[in-house]
Amino acid sequence: MKVHVDFDRCASSGTCVQLVPDVFELGDDGYLYLRDEEPDEDLRDDLDEAAEACPTDAITVLEA
């Protein structure tokens, strides 16, 4: 599984960070960072929820 963030669309709202902090983080500069581009499959449900909750639809979860 691979996670893609369209940083041109991302508003750094932090919703994804709250849902999957092992994969996403907000930096001190206020921007979103992807901590793990290829997370374990056991995070699939949480990542799908984060993608669905993203207010700008910037997150995509892809098959590896």
Side-chain angles (χ1 to χ4, degrees):
M1 166 175 61
K2 188 168 183 175
V3 178
H4 172 76
V5 177
D6 182 342
F7 290 103
D8 290 332
R9 296 180 77 167
C10 179
S12 298
S13 68
T15 303
C16 57
V17 177
Q18 293 174 355
L19 293 169
V20 198
D22 290 340
V23 176
F24 305 101
E25 73 177 321
L26 281 178
D28 292 336
D29 57 5
Y31 289 102
L32 181 76
Y33 291 91
L34 193 54
R35 297 181 69 195
D36 188 356
E37 193 174 312
E38 295 184 15
D40 291 332
E41 187 65 36
D42 63 336
L43 294 175
R44 162 81 61 186
D45 290 341
D46 293 338
L47 287 165
D48 287 342
E49 184 179 350
E52 227 176 271
C54 178
T56 60
D57 293 324
I59 300 169
T60 306
V61 181
L62 307 164
E63 294 299 322

